[in-house]
Amino acid sequence: MTTTPTATREDSLQSRLPDPVQFFPEEVAALAGAMLKATRNGSIPQTTISLVQLRAEQIVGSTYHTIRQTGELRKAGETEERITAVATWRDAPYFTDAERVALELVEAVLTANPSGERVPDELYARAAAQYDEKALWTLTIAIGQICFFIPVALIARPIPGEAPGKNYRK
């Protein structure tokens, strides 16, 4: 008796929408390029930006971006301990004070605070103690960059683990 293999979840994964580049090629390239250039200006270590973006992706539940960002961190030589501990950074011994305040800042931006403003003066003061004005703007743009791409991941649902351009249905 021959059995036919059943499709696994991975075999059936497909995005909801096609690659947006086919509709907006210049806009996607310009936007992605400008944000990437702004976040790679050297005022903040790329590792910090990646850790902050990973935390944002975890908060909103974006599997696509979480897998993509952890892969990028591994390629950059980050340890499994640091990558895994991003979700529990407050209790983990693996992060610098500057990384901690950056992670706290992204959590403040993405987490509703029913009792007050999301980024209180005290948090801003701690961030300003770690980063100069250019670095604070870079961090702000890095948070904005991932916030731009979060709806793309949640609505279009690109295929986790696939390379850009190959992660959407045809």
Side-chain angles (χ1 to χ4, degrees):
M1 175 161 116
T2 307
T3 59
T4 305
T6 58
T8 65
R9 170 126 168 89
E10 283 126 15
D11 293 333
S12 65
L13 283 178
Q14 72 172 348
S15 66
R16 291 179 177 151
L17 291 170
D19 192 337
V21 171
Q22 69 180 300
F23 302 110
F24 316 104
E26 297 84 17
E27 293 85 351
V28 171
L31 184 59
M35 285 192 277
L36 188 62
K37 184 178 177 183
T39 61
R40 293 194 176 179
N41 64 37
S43 64
I44 294 182
Q46 190 58 47
T47 299
T48 302
I49 290 170
S50 294
L51 293 170
V52 163
Q53 291 181 336
L54 174 58
R55 186 64 192 125
E57 295 146 0
Q58 291 170 338
I59 291 167
V60 300
S62 172
T63 300
Y64 170 76
H65 280 120
T66 300
I67 289 172
R68 186 172 174 273
Q69 199 65 50
T70 55
E72 292 297 318
L73 283 161
R74 284 183 185 106
K75 283 185 212 171
E78 272 306 314
T79 65
E80 288 300 313
E81 290 83 7
R82 279 175 48 92
I83 293 169
T84 304
V86 168
T88 57
W89 65 268
R90 290 178 191 271
D91 299 327
Y94 309 113
F95 304 102
T96 67
D97 289 343
E99 290 168 337
R100 288 178 182 285
V101 77
L103 290 165
E104 186 175 356
L105 194 59
V106 72
E107 283 188 4
V109 168
L110 292 175
T111 307
N113 182 357
S115 63
E117 67 182 312
R118 291 187 186 198
V119 182
D121 290 341
E122 181 272 330
L123 174 54
Y124 176 82
R126 286 189 291 114
Q130 294 292 328
Y131 300 106
D132 65 20
E133 290 176 341
K134 182 177 182 180
L136 281 171
W137 270 116
T138 302
L139 186 55
T140 301
I141 291 168
I143 293 168
Q145 176 186 28
I146 199 59
C147 287
F148 174 81
F149 287 106
I150 286 170
V152 171
L154 297 178
I155 296 168
R157 205 165 57 193
I159 302 166
E162 295 293 326
K166 296 181 181 182
N167 53 347
Y168 290 98
R169 68 177 165 86
K170 302 294 181 219

